[in-house]
Amino acid sequence: SQGGTASSRDIGRFLQREGSDTGDNMLTRLKARHAGLRAFLTTFPEQFEVIDARPDAEDDKEFFVTLLTPPPSSTREQEELLISQE
C-alpha cells in the first residue's frame, strides 16, 4: 500500500473537528451527501481500501482505511468540493 492505515473512528473524529464555510463540521456534511464515511470511501476504490475491523462482529461498525494512491496536492477548497459533490 502507498499510504498509511487509519481507523474509521479516527477519521470521523478528525472530520468532526474540521469546520466548513457553512458552520457545520465536515463529518456532518459528508454524512448528509454520501450516507456516511464508508459510502464515500467506497466511491473511490482505486484510492482507498476499506477493511472491516472485525468481520465476525455484526454490530461493530468500525473499519480501517488504507490509502492506495498518493494524495494529490490539494487546497482546502478542493477538499470541501469533493465532500460536497453529490
Side-chain angles (χ1 to χ4, degrees):
S1 68
Q2 292 286 329
T5 299
S7 77
S8 56
R9 292 178 181 159
D10 289 341
I11 296 169
R13 288 182 193 115
F14 172 79
L15 292 173
Q16 280 182 318
R17 290 191 305 266
E18 294 298 309
S20 72
D21 294 339
T22 59
D24 52 3
N25 66 56
M26 297 303 286
L27 182 61
T28 300
R29 291 183 64 195
L30 186 137
K31 285 181 175 181
R33 299 283 183 166
H34 300 282
L37 179 60
R38 182 187 294 263
F40 173 76
L41 294 169
T42 56
T43 305
F44 305 96
E46 66 283 347
Q47 294 166 325
F48 301 104
E49 180 180 24
V50 176
I51 302 168
D52 288 327
R54 294 186 348 195
D56 57 329
E58 292 180 25
D59 60 334
D60 188 1
K61 295 182 174 30
E62 183 178 21
F63 55 92
F64 293 102
V65 180
T66 300
L67 182 62
L68 298 176
T69 58
S73 59
S74 65
T75 64
R76 172 85 173 171
E77 293 79 27
Q78 290 170 323
E79 291 169 0
E80 286 194 26
L81 179 63
L82 179 64
I83 289 175
S84 298
Q85 289 177 344
E86 293 190 58

